[in-house]
């Protein structure tokens, strides 16, 4: 089976925004409160960041399990790695996640300002100034036969969709409006020329949109 590029457990508001305005070190999602966007996933038993026993089972949990299933590498944009812009001023700061990032795979960070790779626990971050197709080729090689997760942020997901490189997407639409920020789409129906779609409402209040390439 061929390797897939997958978007998994990516959250947007019902007005189409994946993050708010004004990202900073203290507020990775800018003005937006990430709680309403992510609460459905954080409540599940299988959520990758869960540190205590328990959590819900059912539809939401079934979908969060796919977040890590058969993933061998991740691609992310620089703004998912951190809030800095322009040349790197401080190589000592190494991402939002502390000494034990939740990825457990090679991670390829797209940036116009490369820096040396480094490893934290079982995650190695590589920094690439590369077009989407080149970055995907690097990530697939590192994934050793497994799939590649496209982790975001919003602009990076849009860029790979526009390059026609995404194979499947799971987008969770939360019942909140952000009003401004980075928009994933004007309408998800704009993607139906290239993807099939299943729409699955959840008792948690989110609507899961499951896309796969035509």
């Amino acid at each position: 089976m061929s390797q897939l590029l997958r978007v998994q457990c990516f959250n947007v508001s019902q007005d189409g925004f994946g993050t708010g305005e004004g990202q900073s070190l203290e507020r990775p999602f800018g003005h937006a409160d990430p709680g309403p966007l992510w609460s459905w996933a954080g409540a599940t038993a299988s959520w990758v960041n869960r540190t205590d026993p328990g959590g819900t089972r059912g539809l939401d949990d079934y979908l969060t399990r796919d977040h890590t299933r058969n993933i061998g590498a991740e691609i992310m944009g620089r703004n998912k790695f951190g809030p800095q812009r322009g040349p790197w001023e401080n190589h000592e700061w190494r991402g939002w996640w502390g000494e034990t990032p939740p990825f457990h795979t090679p991670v390829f960070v797209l940036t116009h300002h490369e820096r040396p790779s480094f490893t934290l626990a079982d995650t190695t971050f590589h920094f690439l100034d590369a077009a989407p197709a080149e970055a995907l080729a690097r990530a697939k090689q590192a994934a050793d036969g497994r799939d590649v997760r496209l982790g975001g942020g919003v602009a990076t997901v849009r860029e790979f969709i526009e390059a026609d490189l995404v194979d499947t997407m799971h987008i969770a639409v939360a019942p909140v409006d952000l009003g401004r920020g980075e928009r994933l789409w004007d309408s998800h129906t704009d993607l139906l020329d290239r993807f099939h779609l299943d729409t699955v409402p959840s008792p948690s209040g989110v609507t899961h949109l499951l896309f796969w390439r035509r």
Side-chain angles (χ1 to χ4, degrees):
M1 183 180 293
S2 62
Q3 291 173 285
L4 301 178
L5 179 63
R6 295 159 43 196
V7 177
Q8 294 292 152
C9 299
F10 194 88
N11 297 273
V12 300
S13 62
Q14 60 190 1
D15 56 348
F17 294 96
T19 190
E21 287 184 347
Q23 184 190 53
S24 67
L25 183 62
E26 294 76 21
R27 297 188 64 88
F29 286 81
H31 84 280
D33 178 0
L37 292 175
W38 286 93
S39 60
W40 72 272
T44 64
S46 301
W47 182 234
V48 65
N49 292 323
R50 176 170 292 282
T51 58
D52 57 323
T56 63
R57 298 291 184 179
L59 172 64
D60 291 345
D61 185 64
Y62 180 84
L63 290 167
T64 57
R65 279 179 252 164
D66 273 349
H67 186 261
T68 57
R69 180 185 57 81
N70 197 43
I71 294 295
E74 167 144 345
I75 297 171
M76 68 173 64
R78 180 170 173 179
N79 292 354
K80 180 175 177 179
F81 178 81
Q84 301 92 343
R85 306 293 188 269
W88 297 95
E89 297 180 2
N90 181 7
H91 286 190
E92 296 302 313
W93 194 82
R94 300 190 291 180
W96 303 111
W97 306 279
E99 294 300 311
T100 310
F103 305 105
H104 313 296
T105 67
V107 174
F108 294 86
V109 181
L110 302 183
T111 173
H112 294 302
H113 302 276
E114 295 185 355
R115 58 181 277 187
S117 301
F118 63 84
T119 299
L120 292 172
D122 56 357
T123 298
T124 298
F125 291 93
H126 305 282
F127 298 84
L128 301 181
D129 184 3
E134 180 186 350
L136 180 57
R138 288 278 303 274
K140 283 185 172 181
Q141 182 178 25
D144 194 25
R146 291 179 290 169
D147 295 339
V148 175
R149 183 173 55 229
L150 182 60
V154 176
T156 300
V157 173
R158 285 202 314 263
E159 186 177 14
F160 278 76
I161 292 173
E162 290 165 4
D164 200 27
L165 295 172
V166 177
D167 296 297
T168 68
M169 292 194 296
H170 163 218
I171 309 294
V173 182
V176 296
D177 290 321
L178 295 185
R180 65 189 192 277
E182 286 199 67
R183 186 186 290 278
L184 182 61
W185 51 45
D186 291 321
S187 170
H188 67 272
T189 60
D190 296 341
L191 302 181
L192 297 184
D193 61 334
R194 68 189 79 178
F195 291 100
H196 299 284
L197 170 65
D198 278 344
T199 301
V200 187
S202 168
S204 64
V206 302
T207 298
H208 298 289
L209 303 181
L210 307 175
F211 297 86
W212 68 101
R213 185 196 290 270
R214 288 187 175 275

